């Protein structure tokens, strides 16, 4: 880690802003990792808005939208048990570089198909499956590398700054995506996403050179040989053992395997429907609503990152998750456009408080050499039921109506959150 500029002036030493921005001053590795992920998120935030609008334009069906999200999520979940072992054996930056190249190619092909009117649902589903597979490798690799780069002296601020910058990008991405759909072609958005992955690749390449110059390769070819395929089951069980030793970790992962069905199902399947189909708003409005979620998340990240230490983190995290569910419930009640946008802002604030506390706790409790396995288990169980959940949310919405489905799943998620808070290990987690 770089050591330049680590001394703050007496006036700013205890200021919230100095604490919040300290990772940029102390660590070049953090800056490159942060910038690479930030730029990639810019492109994907545009695609996140464009993709459901394209699907609804082609089909108008919440069931098809739910199936599309299942096609994306299923390979993501299936690769995760293996991704953890891969991440702990192979240079993590190489995995980031590989997955960025693959996603660059997928977005480039999608852009060409949109421009040539060749995009069909089968092509879209194949692309989503491959994209989900790459995300299933990228996410644990990025989480493990982040745990290595986010050292204890910058950890709180690094997690907060990372999250708030991602949300800042999402402020630009969704309105830009809505603007592109309204006044241009979705192909432009997919093309922008491909360029973002290319620039992100360059940042990760520089990070690789930087880390090699100061600490060397974390995992060598000989290490990979020593850890052969026969140790797969042993490594897999070792990941479970780490989770079992910390009730905060395994209880939260189990709870969010169900909470994610409720919250993510609403956000991924029904919120696009709510704005485009039910209310009939222009895609720009949907983009602004998604951006407002980013504003709320930025506020939550800044509030949390402005302090180095927080007490009662378990209670605070789950209260954030409850607030997020309450905001989603309001979407089924509020019909006033500004009210919908403010509800999305509240949703972003609540879930960001939970997300930062969760990521920080993982980095504190899990050894660096095992982080890939634990991160992959976290992602696997958190997302395991999402493929079924997306299908269920879409199908229930077609049968009972989208508004009723939003309210029902939001209430179920909130009840799970309150149920978990009864557990002392969660409520008293510091």
């Amino acid at each position: 880690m770089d050591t330049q500029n680590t001394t703050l002036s007496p006036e700013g030493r205890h200021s919230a802003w100095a604490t919040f921005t300290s990772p940029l001053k102390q660590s070049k590795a953090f800056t490159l990792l942060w910038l690479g992920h930030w730029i990639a998120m810019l492109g994907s935030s545009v695609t996140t808005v464009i993709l459901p609008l394209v699907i609804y334009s082609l089909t108008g069906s919440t069931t098809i939208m739910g199936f599309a999200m299942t096609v994306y999520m299923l390979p993501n979940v299936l690769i995760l048990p293996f991704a953890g072992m891969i991440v702990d054996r192979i240079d993590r930056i190489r995995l980031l570089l590989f997955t960025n190249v693959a996603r660059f190619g997928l977005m480039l092909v999608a852009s060409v198909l949109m421009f040539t009117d060749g995009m069909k649902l089968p092509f879209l589903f194949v692309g989503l499956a491959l994209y989900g597979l790459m995300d299933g490798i990228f996410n644990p690799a990025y989480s493990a590398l982040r745990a290595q780069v986010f050292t204890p002296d910058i950890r709180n601020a690094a997690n907060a700054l990372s999250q708030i910058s991602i949300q800042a990008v999402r402020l630009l991405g969704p309105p830009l995506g809505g603007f592109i759909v309204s006044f241009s072609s979705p192909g432009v958005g997919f093309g922008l996403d491909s360029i973002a992955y290319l620039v992100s690749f360059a940042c990760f390449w520089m990070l690789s050179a930087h880390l090699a110059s100061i600490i060397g390769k974390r995992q060598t070819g000989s290490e990979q040989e020593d850890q052969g395929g026969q140790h797969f089951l042993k490594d897999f069980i070792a990941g479970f053992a780490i989770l079992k030793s910390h009730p905060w970790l395994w209880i939260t992962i189990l709870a969010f395997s169900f909470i994610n069905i409720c919250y993510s199902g609403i956000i991924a399947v029904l919120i696009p429907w709510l704005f485009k189909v039910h209310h009939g708003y222009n895609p720009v409005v949907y983009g602004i609503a998604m951006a407002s979620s980013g504003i709320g998340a930025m506020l939550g990240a800044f509030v949390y990152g402005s302090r180095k230490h927080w007490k009662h983190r378990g209670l605070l995290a789950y209260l954030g998750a409850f607030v997020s569910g309450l905001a989603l419930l309001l979407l089924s009640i509020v019909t006033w456009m500004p009210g919908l946008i403010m509800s999305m802002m509240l949703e972003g604030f609540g879930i960001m408080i939970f997300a930062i506390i969760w990521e920080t706790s993982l980095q504190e409790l899990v050894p660096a050499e095992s982080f890939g396995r634990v991160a992959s288990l976290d992602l696997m169980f958190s997302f395991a039921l999402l493929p079924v959940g997306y299908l269920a949310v879409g199908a229930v919405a077609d049968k009972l109506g989208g508004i009723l489905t939003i309210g029902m799943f939001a209430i179920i998620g909130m009840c799970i959150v309150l149920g978990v808070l009864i557990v002392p290990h969660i409520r008293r987690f510091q």
Side-chain angles (χ1 to χ4, degrees), residues 107-177:
M107 289 298 105
L108 185 61
V109 170
S111 178
V112 171
L113 289 175
M114 291 303 302
F115 279 125
T116 59
D117 294 324
M119 179 62 77
K120 307 296 181 184
L121 279 179
F123 297 153
L124 190 62
F125 291 152
V126 170
L128 282 171
L130 292 174
Y131 194 92
L133 184 66
M134 291 301 102
D135 276 1
I137 298 172
F138 175 89
N139 288 330
Y142 173 70
S143 293
L145 188 60
R146 186 168 54 183
Q148 175 186 341
V149 172
F150 291 12
T151 51
D153 56 319
I154 63 170
R155 183 165 288 154
N156 258 13
N159 280 306
L161 184 60
S162 180
Q163 290 290 348
I164 203 170
S165 61
I166 290 171
Q167 300 306 322
V169 168
R170 287 176 175 167
L171 295 183
L172 301 174
L176 179 58

Side-chain angles (χ1 to χ4, degrees), residues 45-57:
S45 66
V46 172
T47 302
T48 298
V49 172
I50 291 178
L51 180 63
L53 297 177
V54 169
I55 293 174
Y56 279 124
S57 295

Side-chain angles (χ1 to χ4, degrees), residues 14-346:
H14 301 293
S15 73
W17 182 252
T19 300
F20 181 70
T21 59
S22 60
L24 293 172
K25 301 174 183 179
Q26 293 180 233
S27 175
K28 183 178 179 180
F30 166 82
T31 302
L32 289 171
L33 182 64
W34 165 73
L35 190 60
H37 192 235
W38 184 53
I39 292 172
M41 286 297 298
L42 172 61
S44 63
S45 66
V46 172
T47 302
T48 298
V49 172
I50 291 178
L51 180 63
L53 297 177
V54 169
I55 293 174
Y56 279 124
S57 295
L58 291 173
T59 68
S61 169
T62 56
T63 299
I64 296 298
M65 183 64 208
F67 180 73
M69 295 307 301
T70 299
V71 168
Y72 160 77
M73 187 55 66
L74 191 58
N76 191 322
V77 171
L78 292 177
I79 193 62
L80 282 172
F82 307 95
M85 265 58 76
I86 295 171
V87 166
D88 286 339
R89 292 173 181 165
I90 298 177
D91 187 335
R92 291 154 180 176
I93 300 182
R94 288 184 184 179
L95 293 175
L96 301 189
L97 295 172
F98 167 73
T99 53
N100 265 21
V101 167
R103 291 184 292 183
F104 160 75
L106 289 171
M107 289 298 105
L108 185 61
V109 170
S111 178
V112 171
L113 289 175
M114 291 303 302
F115 279 125
T116 59
D117 294 324
M119 179 62 77
K120 307 296 181 184
L121 279 179
F123 297 153
L124 190 62
F125 291 152
V126 170
L128 282 171
L130 292 174
Y131 194 92
L133 184 66
M134 291 301 102
D135 276 1
I137 298 172
F138 175 89
N139 288 330
Y142 173 70
S143 293
L145 188 60
R146 186 168 54 183
Q148 175 186 341
V149 172
F150 291 12
T151 51
D153 56 319
I154 63 170
R155 183 165 288 154
N156 258 13
N159 280 306
L161 184 60
S162 180
Q163 290 290 348
I164 203 170
S165 61
I166 290 171
Q167 300 306 322
V169 168
R170 287 176 175 167
L171 295 183
L172 301 174
L176 179 58
F179 181 85
I180 288 171
V181 172
S182 298
F183 301 104
S184 183
S185 165
V188 175
F190 291 138
L192 177 63
D193 198 0
S194 68
I195 294 172
Y197 279 120
L198 197 59
V199 177
S200 175
F201 176 91
C203 293
F204 291 143
W205 183 276
M206 288 187 286
L207 173 62
S208 177
H210 173 71
L211 290 181
S213 69
I214 57 175
I215 61 174
K217 297 296 184 181
R218 184 167 181 83
Q219 293 173 311
T220 66
S222 61
E223 286 173 331
Q224 295 170 39
E225 266 183 37
D226 292 339
Q227 297 177 351
Q230 65 269 27
H231 296 302
F232 172 86
L233 183 59
K234 180 181 178 181
D235 289 347
F236 194 67
I237 294 173
F240 275 104
I242 294 172
L243 291 179
K244 185 180 178 181
S245 65
H246 300 288
W248 162 258
L249 296 181
W250 71 261
I251 292 173
T252 297
I253 289 174
L254 180 62
F256 267 80
S257 67
F258 296 97
I259 294 171
N260 280 337
I261 291 178
C262 302
Y263 290 5
S264 296
I266 294 172
I267 293 170
V269 177
L270 293 181
I271 288 180
W273 168 87
L274 182 71
F275 282 86
K276 179 177 175 59
V277 179
H278 182 71
H279 291 301
Y281 291 135
N282 187 284
V284 173
V285 176
Y286 170 58
I288 293 172
M290 295 303 292
S292 70
S293 176
I295 293 175
M298 287 174 64
L299 180 60
F302 180 76
V303 169
Y304 189 85
S306 62
R307 291 178 57 179
K308 285 189 174 182
H309 303 287
W310 288 85
K311 296 181 179 179
H312 310 296
R313 287 189 298 167
L315 182 61
L316 186 62
Y318 274 84
L319 286 178
F322 183 85
V323 167
S324 181
L326 179 61
L328 293 175
L329 177 61
L330 290 175
L331 293 176
S332 67
I333 301 171
V334 176
T335 57
W336 185 43
M337 183 194 301
L340 293 170
I341 292 173
M342 286 187 287
S343 295
M344 290 297 297
M345 187 180 300
L346 183 63

